[in-house]
Amino acid sequence: MIYTTQMDAAKKGFTTKEMEIVAKKENMDLELLKKLMSQGKIVIPANKNHKSLDPEGVGEGLKTKINVNLGISKDCYDIDEEMKKVQLALDMKAEAIMDLSSFGKTKEFRQRLVTCSSAMIGTVPIYDAVGFYDKELKDITAKEFLDVVEKHAKDGVDFVTIHAGINLETANVFKRNKRLMNIVSRGGSLLYAWMELNNKENPFYEYFDELLDICEKYDLTLSLGDACRPGCISDSTDACQIKELMTLGELALRAWARNVQVIIEGPGHMALNEIKANMLLEKKLCHGAPFYVLGPIVTDIAPGYDHITSAIGGALAASCGADFLCYVTPAEHLRLPMLEDVKEGIIAAKIAAHAGDIAKNIPGARGWDNEMAKARQELDWEKTFQLSIDPEKARRYRKESTPEHENSCTMCGKMCAVRNMNKIMQGKDINILREDN
């Protein structure tokens, strides 16, 4: 083979089929795409074993992508139900799906997911380690953690979240700087606990070169996890979050030297006025690597509505440079999301991503809105439905409250501004009280 990974190909000037597909989707010059990939500013997560993948690019100058989290847990162990969520995510054109399964032998679900999914697939291998080895966390060895990563890579997942930045240095910064909610990252808390119980360095940090061997072998993209992401707005932009981010920037450089693609993960809960600065910090400290954010969730008081608090933060983050949004459902902080929760989370994240793309002047982003404006101006209801981010809901709302006159709605009736302006601009009379149209 003349190249090992997508990044290696870009550095050598080769064009892969994945690059051609992404360049066409994004309307980006192929040479510019390769240049940005060679610099680590764009990634195309594409495991060599994921045969059903329809590749997507994530990073500078590209449309903001969204990820859908799902997976089995001990309390909700229903693979068939999770597969329904997978199909919904694919139908709604989510670009990525993360399997966060955290109980039992997860391989069956992961393999079914990779086989059927055209979206890129991510996992968090440490979630799988306890169940895979049937061992308590303390007793799992560094080699066993790495072996689980390789098993996921062999199964064909395109990117893995690895919390390599929560090393002993970062842990000591955390200990010296008290937080209201400590560490809320599930993977981060497991690794912190492992370090404390064994009095050892984070195995993913200590054996980072061995991790890169796996990534290079399968062209597995590293999503460097934010173990110290804030779990409430009180903890945002604090010492351990920034210390970890600095470490992730250093690890990104080491990965790029091995031609391994890297995504950086970020907050978390964060007040609106801190989001822009955090996007700038990541891009500076992590050398322009694509930024993947959970939200950010901009207030802590809305359980049941965190798809909204997340979309507010996600739109601002995307407008300021975030490249990849992890959806948040109304069930966040409360329970495993149901099918309808997944749909609402996807819609909210897609709205946030598109709003960010408009602000970033991504080619074609405003065109969609302009088409919608034209359909509304023409009172073309069918075209309005077709252009809607959720056509089903738009149709249902219209059907549930039918106006007397088709060229209006039940809110304004014949006082509809669009209807009346169309008439006036055409030199016609406006009839509000008369029965005729």
Side-chain angles (χ1 to χ4, degrees):
M1 181 177 287
I2 53 179
Y3 59 85
T4 55
T5 67
Q6 295 287 331
M7 188 178 203
D8 186 34
K11 287 180 179 179
K12 292 175 177 176
F14 294 120
T15 300
T16 67
K17 68 179 187 299
E18 290 83 6
M19 293 176 191
E20 290 178 338
I21 292 169
V22 169
K24 185 175 181 180
K25 283 182 178 181
E26 301 283 349
N27 194 28
M28 176 177 274
D29 177 75
L30 190 54
E31 294 307 310
L32 175 59
L33 176 68
K34 288 192 284 188
K35 178 182 177 181
L36 292 171
M37 289 182 68
S38 69
Q39 296 170 346
K41 295 178 179 178
I42 288 177
V43 299
I44 301 178
N47 188 312
K48 296 169 184 177
N49 291 340
H50 189 177
K51 305 305 182 183
S52 59
L53 178 68
D54 183 6
E56 296 284 353
V58 179
E60 185 175 311
L62 306 182
K63 292 188 288 291
T64 306
K65 307 305 187 297
I66 73 161
N67 170 69
V68 172
N69 287 342
L70 38 78
I72 51 179
S73 70
K74 184 175 183 178
D75 290 311
C76 298
Y77 192 87
D78 189 334
I79 291 177
D80 290 336
E81 185 64 23
E82 291 309 297
M83 288 305 301
K84 291 178 184 177
K85 298 175 189 176
V86 169
Q87 191 57 55
L88 175 64
L90 296 174
D91 291 344
M92 297 184 72
K93 303 190 186 317
E95 291 88 5
I97 297 172
M98 283 202 80
D99 173 17
L100 304 189
S101 295
S102 59
F103 176 75
K105 309 302 183 185
T106 61
K107 185 172 183 176
E108 177 192 346
F109 177 63
R110 183 169 60 253
Q111 289 184 331
R112 285 179 64 180
L113 178 58
V114 171
T115 299
C116 78
S117 178
S118 55
M120 52 185 159
I121 300 300
T123 59
V124 189
I126 192 171
Y127 294 175
D128 194 27
V130 173
F132 182 81
Y133 292 113
D134 198 19
K135 284 184 178 182
E136 286 298 335
L137 177 69
K138 178 181 183 293
D139 300 324
I140 299 173
T141 67
K143 182 179 184 303
E144 286 173 333
F145 279 127
L146 290 169
D147 285 347
V148 171
V149 175
E150 178 145 26
K151 291 179 189 304
H152 284 221
K154 189 174 182 180
D155 284 342
V157 306
D158 303 294
F159 63 102
V160 285
T161 292
I162 302 291
H163 301 88
I166 179 74
N167 58 9
L168 290 174
E169 278 188 62
T170 305
N172 284 329
V173 173
F174 163 72
K175 291 174 186 177
R176 294 195 303 269
N177 296 269
K178 297 302 181 185
R179 284 180 148 190
L180 187 58
M181 286 201 64
N182 297 316
I183 292 174
V184 300
S185 159
R186 182 163 55 182
S189 66
L190 291 171
L191 279 168
Y192 179 83
W194 187 92
M195 292 161 64
E196 290 289 297
L197 291 168
N198 290 286
N199 195 28
K200 289 182 179 180
E201 180 60 276
N202 178 344
F204 292 120
Y205 182 81
E206 185 174 4
Y207 299 102
F208 193 68
D209 287 331
E210 287 79 357
L211 177 65
L212 295 179
D213 290 339
I214 297 168
C215 294
E216 188 177 23
K217 180 178 178 181
Y218 295 94
D219 199 357
L220 178 67
T221 298
L222 266 184
S223 190
L224 291 172
D226 50 340
C228 297
R229 72 171 180 266
C232 62
I233 62 172
S234 175
D235 293 340
S236 61
T237 324
D238 69 350
C240 66
Q241 180 196 328
I242 302 306
K243 175 64 177 71
E244 181 182 38
L245 190 63
M246 294 167 64
T247 304
L248 298 185
E250 294 170 357
L251 293 175
L253 293 177
R254 288 174 60 184
W256 291 340
R258 294 283 303 277
N259 299 315
V260 172
Q261 299 185 103
V262 171
I263 296 168
I264 305 294
E265 296 187 13
H269 293 234
M270 180 167 290
L272 273 172
N273 60 307
E274 296 181 41
I275 292 175
K276 183 176 181 180
N278 271 262
M279 301 307 108
L280 176 63
L281 276 171
E282 186 276 341
K283 291 296 181 178
K284 293 289 285 185
L285 295 175
C286 297
H287 322 290
F291 200 19
Y292 173 31
V293 296
L294 179 72
I297 291 172
V298 297
T299 177
D300 301 323
I301 63 160
Y305 297 91
D306 277 324
H307 59 311
I308 297 174
T309 63
S310 170
I312 292 168
L316 182 54
S319 74
C320 295
D323 308 286
F324 197 13
L325 304 182
C326 186
Y327 91 148
V328 173
T329 78
E332 185 78 5
H333 306 112
L334 300 171
R335 59 164 168 76
L336 194 76
M338 304 299 187
L339 201 61
E340 187 58 31
D341 300 321
V342 171
K343 180 177 180 178
E344 289 191 43
I346 293 172
I347 293 292
K350 287 173 75 73
I351 292 169
H354 181 66
D357 288 347
I358 293 171
K360 285 189 289 194
N361 291 314
I362 297 297
R366 282 180 177 266
W368 185 2
D369 292 72
N370 292 341
E371 284 188 71
M372 177 64 86
K374 186 172 187 296
R376 285 175 169 164
Q377 185 271 321
E378 294 175 349
L379 294 169
D380 186 339
W381 297 104
E382 182 56 36
K383 189 68 177 290
T384 297
F385 301 146
Q386 292 172 8
L387 291 168
S388 297
I389 200 164
D390 185 359
E392 179 186 349
K393 187 172 186 178
R395 288 180 191 277
R396 175 165 55 84
Y397 272 39
R398 174 74 176 170
K399 186 176 181 180
E400 285 175 349
S401 187
T402 306
E404 181 183 0
H405 300 284
E406 179 62 24
N407 62 352
S408 66
C409 77
T410 55
M411 178 155 186
C412 297
K414 292 175 74 174
M415 286 190 182
C416 172
V418 176
R419 168 190 180 276
N420 291 334
M421 284 302 299
N422 286 346
K423 284 179 172 286
I424 287 294
M425 298 297 286
Q426 295 166 12
K428 296 179 180 178
D429 185 18
I430 294 177
N431 55 323
I432 296 174
L433 299 179
R434 298 194 305 270
E435 288 299 321
D436 56 308
N437 283 332

